[in-house]
mmCIF file with all atom_site columns, all heavy atoms in Angstrom:
data_model
loop_
_atom_site.group_PDB
_atom_site.id
_atom_site.type_symbol
_atom_site.label_atom_id
_atom_site.label_alt_id
_atom_site.label_comp_id
_atom_site.label_asym_id
_atom_site.label_entity_id
_atom_site.label_seq_id
_atom_site.pdbx_PDB_ins_code
_atom_site.Cartn_x
_atom_site.Cartn_y
_atom_site.Cartn_z
_atom_site.occupancy
_atom_site.B_iso_or_equiv
_atom_site.pdbx_formal_charge
_atom_site.auth_seq_id
_atom_site.auth_comp_id
_atom_site.auth_asym_id
_atom_site.auth_atom_id
_atom_site.pdbx_PDB_model_num
ATOM 1   N N   . ARG A 1 449 ? -16.453 -25.170 -18.630 1.00 0.00 ? 476 ARG A N   1
ATOM 2   C CA  . ARG A 1 449 ? -17.162 -23.895 -18.729 1.00 0.00 ? 476 ARG A CA  1
ATOM 3   C C   . ARG A 1 449 ? -17.009 -23.081 -17.448 1.00 0.00 ? 476 ARG A C   1
ATOM 4   O O   . ARG A 1 449 ? -17.936 -22.432 -16.960 1.00 0.00 ? 476 ARG A O   1
ATOM 5   C CB  . ARG A 1 449 ? -18.645 -24.107 -19.053 1.00 0.00 ? 476 ARG A CB  1
ATOM 6   C CG  . ARG A 1 449 ? -18.903 -24.729 -20.409 1.00 0.00 ? 476 ARG A CG  1
ATOM 7   C CD  . ARG A 1 449 ? -20.382 -24.753 -20.721 1.00 0.00 ? 476 ARG A CD  1
ATOM 8   N NE  . ARG A 1 449 ? -20.933 -23.403 -20.767 1.00 0.00 ? 476 ARG A NE  1
ATOM 9   C CZ  . ARG A 1 449 ? -20.874 -22.589 -21.825 1.00 0.00 ? 476 ARG A CZ  1
ATOM 10  N NH1 . ARG A 1 449 ? -20.238 -22.988 -22.907 1.00 0.00 ? 476 ARG A NH1 1
ATOM 11  N NH2 . ARG A 1 449 ? -21.413 -21.401 -21.787 1.00 0.00 ? 476 ARG A NH2 1
ATOM 12  N N   . ALA A 1 450 ? -15.791 -23.132 -16.907 1.00 0.00 ? 477 ALA A N   1
ATOM 13  C CA  . ALA A 1 450 ? -15.490 -22.369 -15.700 1.00 0.00 ? 477 ALA A CA  1
ATOM 14  C C   . ALA A 1 450 ? -15.116 -20.942 -16.072 1.00 0.00 ? 477 ALA A C   1
ATOM 15  O O   . ALA A 1 450 ? -14.866 -20.616 -17.236 1.00 0.00 ? 477 ALA A O   1
ATOM 16  C CB  . ALA A 1 450 ? -14.347 -23.027 -14.945 1.00 0.00 ? 477 ALA A CB  1
ATOM 17  N N   . VAL A 1 451 ? -15.067 -20.092 -15.073 1.00 0.00 ? 478 VAL A N   1
ATOM 18  C CA  . VAL A 1 451 ? -14.650 -18.710 -15.287 1.00 0.00 ? 478 VAL A CA  1
ATOM 19  C C   . VAL A 1 451 ? -13.188 -18.699 -15.712 1.00 0.00 ? 478 VAL A C   1
ATOM 20  O O   . VAL A 1 451 ? -12.350 -19.375 -15.112 1.00 0.00 ? 478 VAL A O   1
ATOM 21  C CB  . VAL A 1 451 ? -14.845 -17.887 -14.001 1.00 0.00 ? 478 VAL A CB  1
ATOM 22  C CG1 . VAL A 1 451 ? -14.321 -16.463 -14.186 1.00 0.00 ? 478 VAL A CG1 1
ATOM 23  C CG2 . VAL A 1 451 ? -16.310 -17.871 -13.596 1.00 0.00 ? 478 VAL A CG2 1
ATOM 24  N N   . ASP A 1 452 ? -12.872 -17.947 -16.743 1.00 0.00 ? 479 ASP A N   1
ATOM 25  C CA  . ASP A 1 452 ? -11.490 -17.864 -17.233 1.00 0.00 ? 479 ASP A CA  1
ATOM 26  C C   . ASP A 1 452 ? -10.640 -16.993 -16.320 1.00 0.00 ? 479 ASP A C   1
ATOM 27  O O   . ASP A 1 452 ? -11.144 -16.098 -15.632 1.00 0.00 ? 479 ASP A O   1
ATOM 28  C CB  . ASP A 1 452 ? -11.463 -17.298 -18.654 1.00 0.00 ? 479 ASP A CB  1
ATOM 29  C CG  . ASP A 1 452 ? -11.952 -18.316 -19.680 1.00 0.00 ? 479 ASP A CG  1
ATOM 30  O OD1 . ASP A 1 452 ? -11.619 -19.506 -19.514 1.00 0.00 ? 479 ASP A OD1 1
ATOM 31  O OD2 . ASP A 1 452 ? -12.661 -17.920 -20.617 1.00 0.00 ? 479 ASP A OD2 1
ATOM 32  N N   . TYR A 1 453 ? -9.365  -17.279 -16.321 1.00 0.00 ? 480 TYR A N   1
ATOM 33  C CA  . TYR A 1 453 ? -8.335  -16.522 -15.596 1.00 0.00 ? 480 TYR A CA  1
ATOM 34  C C   . TYR A 1 453 ? -8.442  -16.665 -14.081 1.00 0.00 ? 480 TYR A C   1
ATOM 35  O O   . TYR A 1 453 ? -7.911  -15.835 -13.341 1.00 0.00 ? 480 TYR A O   1
ATOM 36  C CB  . TYR A 1 453 ? -8.360  -15.038 -15.990 1.00 0.00 ? 480 TYR A CB  1
ATOM 37  C CG  . TYR A 1 453 ? -8.286  -14.791 -17.471 1.00 0.00 ? 480 TYR A CG  1
ATOM 38  C CD1 . TYR A 1 453 ? -9.108  -13.843 -18.087 1.00 0.00 ? 480 TYR A CD1 1
ATOM 39  C CD2 . TYR A 1 453 ? -7.407  -15.508 -18.287 1.00 0.00 ? 480 TYR A CD2 1
ATOM 40  C CE1 . TYR A 1 453 ? -9.044  -13.604 -19.451 1.00 0.00 ? 480 TYR A CE1 1
ATOM 41  C CE2 . TYR A 1 453 ? -7.336  -15.292 -19.648 1.00 0.00 ? 480 TYR A CE2 1
ATOM 42  C CZ  . TYR A 1 453 ? -8.167  -14.333 -20.236 1.00 0.00 ? 480 TYR A CZ  1
ATOM 43  O OH  . TYR A 1 453 ? -8.105  -14.107 -21.588 1.00 0.00 ? 480 TYR A OH  1
ATOM 44  N N   . GLN A 1 454 ? -9.130  -17.713 -13.603 1.00 0.00 ? 481 GLN A N   1
ATOM 45  C CA  . GLN A 1 454 ? -9.230  -17.935 -12.166 1.00 0.00 ? 481 GLN A CA  1
ATOM 46  C C   . GLN A 1 454 ? -7.932  -18.520 -11.619 1.00 0.00 ? 481 GLN A C   1
ATOM 47  O O   . GLN A 1 454 ? -7.158  -19.162 -12.328 1.00 0.00 ? 481 GLN A O   1
ATOM 48  C CB  . GLN A 1 454 ? -10.385 -18.879 -11.852 1.00 0.00 ? 481 GLN A CB  1
ATOM 49  C CG  . GLN A 1 454 ? -11.754 -18.283 -12.134 1.00 0.00 ? 481 GLN A CG  1
ATOM 50  C CD  . GLN A 1 454 ? -12.022 -17.035 -11.306 1.00 0.00 ? 481 GLN A CD  1
ATOM 51  O OE1 . GLN A 1 454 ? -12.124 -17.109 -10.082 1.00 0.00 ? 481 GLN A OE1 1
ATOM 52  N NE2 . GLN A 1 454 ? -12.136 -15.889 -11.965 1.00 0.00 ? 481 GLN A NE2 1
ATOM 53  N N   . SER A 1 455 ? -7.721  -18.335 -10.334 1.00 0.00 ? 482 SER A N   1
ATOM 54  C CA  . SER A 1 455 ? -6.530  -18.887 -9.697  1.00 0.00 ? 482 SER A CA  1
ATOM 55  C C   . SER A 1 455 ? -6.753  -20.359 -9.381  1.00 0.00 ? 482 SER A C   1
ATOM 56  O O   . SER A 1 455 ? -7.891  -20.819 -9.229  1.00 0.00 ? 482 SER A O   1
ATOM 57  C CB  . SER A 1 455 ? -6.209  -18.118 -8.421  1.00 0.00 ? 482 SER A CB  1
ATOM 58  O OG  . SER A 1 455 ? -7.262  -18.257 -7.484  1.00 0.00 ? 482 SER A OG  1
ATOM 59  N N   . PHE A 1 456 ? -5.663  -21.109 -9.286  1.00 0.00 ? 483 PHE A N   1
ATOM 60  C CA  . PHE A 1 456 ? -5.745  -22.518 -8.906  1.00 0.00 ? 483 PHE A CA  1
ATOM 61  C C   . PHE A 1 456 ? -4.522  -22.882 -8.078  1.00 0.00 ? 483 PHE A C   1
ATOM 62  O O   . PHE A 1 456 ? -3.496  -22.208 -8.116  1.00 0.00 ? 483 PHE A O   1
ATOM 63  C CB  . PHE A 1 456 ? -5.845  -23.424 -10.143 1.00 0.00 ? 483 PHE A CB  1
ATOM 64  C CG  . PHE A 1 456 ? -4.602  -23.465 -10.994 1.00 0.00 ? 483 PHE A CG  1
ATOM 65  C CD1 . PHE A 1 456 ? -3.537  -24.309 -10.679 1.00 0.00 ? 483 PHE A CD1 1
ATOM 66  C CD2 . PHE A 1 456 ? -4.487  -22.661 -12.126 1.00 0.00 ? 483 PHE A CD2 1
ATOM 67  C CE1 . PHE A 1 456 ? -2.391  -24.350 -11.463 1.00 0.00 ? 483 PHE A CE1 1
ATOM 68  C CE2 . PHE A 1 456 ? -3.348  -22.696 -12.916 1.00 0.00 ? 483 PHE A CE2 1
ATOM 69  C CZ  . PHE A 1 456 ? -2.288  -23.550 -12.580 1.00 0.00 ? 483 PHE A CZ  1
ATOM 70  N N   . THR A 1 457 ? -4.670  -23.960 -7.324  1.00 0.00 ? 484 THR A N   1
ATOM 71  C CA  . THR A 1 457 ? -3.569  -24.520 -6.550  1.00 0.00 ? 484 THR A CA  1
ATOM 72  C C   . THR A 1 457 ? -3.436  -25.987 -6.940  1.00 0.00 ? 484 THR A C   1
ATOM 73  O O   . THR A 1 457 ? -4.443  -26.711 -6.968  1.00 0.00 ? 484 THR A O   1
ATOM 74  C CB  . THR A 1 457 ? -3.822  -24.408 -5.036  1.00 0.00 ? 484 THR A CB  1
ATOM 75  O OG1 . THR A 1 457 ? -3.989  -23.027 -4.697  1.00 0.00 ? 484 THR A OG1 1
ATOM 76  C CG2 . THR A 1 457 ? -2.652  -24.968 -4.255  1.00 0.00 ? 484 THR A CG2 1
ATOM 77  N N   . ALA A 1 458 ? -2.239  -26.420 -7.247  1.00 0.00 ? 485 ALA A N   1
ATOM 78  C CA  . ALA A 1 458 ? -2.036  -27.802 -7.671  1.00 0.00 ? 485 ALA A CA  1
ATOM 79  C C   . ALA A 1 458 ? -0.603  -28.224 -7.400  1.00 0.00 ? 485 ALA A C   1
ATOM 80  O O   . ALA A 1 458 ? 0.291   -27.377 -7.232  1.00 0.00 ? 485 ALA A O   1
ATOM 81  C CB  . ALA A 1 458 ? -2.366  -27.958 -9.155  1.00 0.00 ? 485 ALA A CB  1
ATOM 82  N N   . ASP A 1 459 ? -0.405  -29.542 -7.353  1.00 0.00 ? 486 ASP A N   1
ATOM 83  C CA  . ASP A 1 459 ? 0.923   -30.116 -7.159  1.00 0.00 ? 486 ASP A CA  1
ATOM 84  C C   . ASP A 1 459 ? 1.199   -31.095 -8.290  1.00 0.00 ? 486 ASP A C   1
ATOM 85  O O   . ASP A 1 459 ? 0.308   -31.849 -8.699  1.00 0.00 ? 486 ASP A O   1
ATOM 86  C CB  . ASP A 1 459 ? 1.013   -30.838 -5.822  1.00 0.00 ? 486 ASP A CB  1
ATOM 87  C CG  . ASP A 1 459 ? 0.805   -29.896 -4.643  1.00 0.00 ? 486 ASP A CG  1
ATOM 88  O OD1 . ASP A 1 459 ? 1.786   -29.268 -4.228  1.00 0.00 ? 486 ASP A OD1 1
ATOM 89  O OD2 . ASP A 1 459 ? -0.351  -29.790 -4.181  1.00 0.00 ? 486 ASP A OD2 1
ATOM 90  N N   . ALA A 1 460 ? 2.428   -31.084 -8.762  1.00 0.00 ? 487 ALA A N   1
ATOM 91  C CA  . ALA A 1 460 ? 2.769   -31.947 -9.886  1.00 0.00 ? 487 ALA A CA  1
ATOM 92  C C   . ALA A 1 460 ? 4.182   -32.495 -9.731  1.00 0.00 ? 487 ALA A C   1
ATOM 93  O O   . ALA A 1 460 ? 5.066   -31.835 -9.171  1.00 0.00 ? 487 ALA A O   1
ATOM 94  C CB  . ALA A 1 460 ? 2.654   -31.181 -11.207 1.00 0.00 ? 487 ALA A CB  1
ATOM 95  N N   . LEU A 1 461 ? 4.368   -33.703 -10.227 1.00 0.00 ? 488 LEU A N   1
ATOM 96  C CA  . LEU A 1 461 ? 5.691   -34.302 -10.353 1.00 0.00 ? 488 LEU A CA  1
ATOM 97  C C   . LEU A 1 461 ? 6.040   -34.280 -11.835 1.00 0.00 ? 488 LEU A C   1
ATOM 98  O O   . LEU A 1 461 ? 5.351   -34.876 -12.659 1.00 0.00 ? 488 LEU A O   1
ATOM 99  C CB  . LEU A 1 461 ? 5.701   -35.737 -9.825  1.00 0.00 ? 488 LEU A CB  1
ATOM 100 C CG  . LEU A 1 461 ? 7.055   -36.468 -9.919  1.00 0.00 ? 488 LEU A CG  1
ATOM 101 C CD1 . LEU A 1 461 ? 8.104   -35.751 -9.077  1.00 0.00 ? 488 LEU A CD1 1
ATOM 102 C CD2 . LEU A 1 461 ? 6.904   -37.924 -9.485  1.00 0.00 ? 488 LEU A CD2 1
ATOM 103 N N   . ARG A 1 462 ? 7.104   -33.577 -12.173 1.00 0.00 ? 489 ARG A N   1
ATOM 104 C CA  . ARG A 1 462 ? 7.467   -33.349 -13.577 1.00 0.00 ? 489 ARG A CA  1
ATOM 105 C C   . ARG A 1 462 ? 8.852   -33.952 -13.847 1.00 0.00 ? 489 ARG A C   1
ATOM 106 O O   . ARG A 1 462 ? 9.774   -33.800 -13.047 1.00 0.00 ? 489 ARG A O   1
ATOM 107 C CB  . ARG A 1 462 ? 7.465   -31.853 -13.876 1.00 0.00 ? 489 ARG A CB  1
ATOM 108 C CG  . ARG A 1 462 ? 6.191   -31.149 -13.470 1.00 0.00 ? 489 ARG A CG  1
ATOM 109 C CD  . ARG A 1 462 ? 6.280   -29.636 -13.579 1.00 0.00 ? 489 ARG A CD  1
ATOM 110 N NE  . ARG A 1 462 ? 6.426   -29.202 -14.948 1.00 0.00 ? 489 ARG A NE  1
ATOM 111 C CZ  . ARG A 1 462 ? 6.720   -27.938 -15.299 1.00 0.00 ? 489 ARG A CZ  1
ATOM 112 N NH1 . ARG A 1 462 ? 6.915   -27.025 -14.350 1.00 0.00 ? 489 ARG A NH1 1
ATOM 113 N NH2 . ARG A 1 462 ? 6.842   -27.622 -16.566 1.00 0.00 ? 489 ARG A NH2 1
ATOM 114 N N   . VAL A 1 463 ? 8.970   -34.632 -14.982 1.00 0.00 ? 490 VAL A N   1
ATOM 115 C CA  . VAL A 1 463 ? 10.219  -35.289 -15.359 1.00 0.00 ? 490 VAL A CA  1
ATOM 116 C C   . VAL A 1 463 ? 10.580  -34.885 -16.785 1.00 0.00 ? 490 VAL A C   1
ATOM 117 O O   . VAL A 1 463 ? 9.700   -34.791 -17.665 1.00 0.00 ? 490 VAL A O   1
ATOM 118 C CB  . VAL A 1 463 ? 10.105  -36.828 -15.263 1.00 0.00 ? 490 VAL A CB  1
ATOM 119 C CG1 . VAL A 1 463 ? 11.414  -37.490 -15.709 1.00 0.00 ? 490 VAL A CG1 1
ATOM 120 C CG2 . VAL A 1 463 ? 9.748   -37.253 -13.843 1.00 0.00 ? 490 VAL A CG2 1
ATOM 121 N N   . GLN A 1 464 ? 11.857  -34.647 -17.009 1.00 0.00 ? 491 GLN A N   1
ATOM 122 C CA  . GLN A 1 464 ? 12.344  -34.290 -18.342 1.00 0.00 ? 491 GLN A CA  1
ATOM 123 C C   . GLN A 1 464 ? 13.617  -35.062 -18.662 1.00 0.00 ? 491 GLN A C   1
ATOM 124 O O   . GLN A 1 464 ? 14.515  -35.182 -17.832 1.00 0.00 ? 491 GLN A O   1
ATOM 125 C CB  . GLN A 1 464 ? 12.628  -32.791 -18.429 1.00 0.00 ? 491 GLN A CB  1
ATOM 126 C CG  . GLN A 1 464 ? 13.299  -32.347 -19.730 1.00 0.00 ? 491 GLN A CG  1
ATOM 127 C CD  . GLN A 1 464 ? 13.508  -30.863 -19.796 1.00 0.00 ? 491 GLN A CD  1
ATOM 128 O OE1 . GLN A 1 464 ? 12.546  -30.102 -20.008 1.00 0.00 ? 491 GLN A OE1 1
ATOM 129 N NE2 . GLN A 1 464 ? 14.733  -30.406 -19.608 1.00 0.00 ? 491 GLN A NE2 1
#
Side-chain angles (χ1 to χ4, degrees):
R476 295 187 61 83
V478 176
D479 286 321
Y480 307 136
Q481 292 299 294
S482 63
F483 68 83
T484 301
D486 298 275
L488 180 62
R489 308 171 66 190
V490 178
Q491 173 178 285

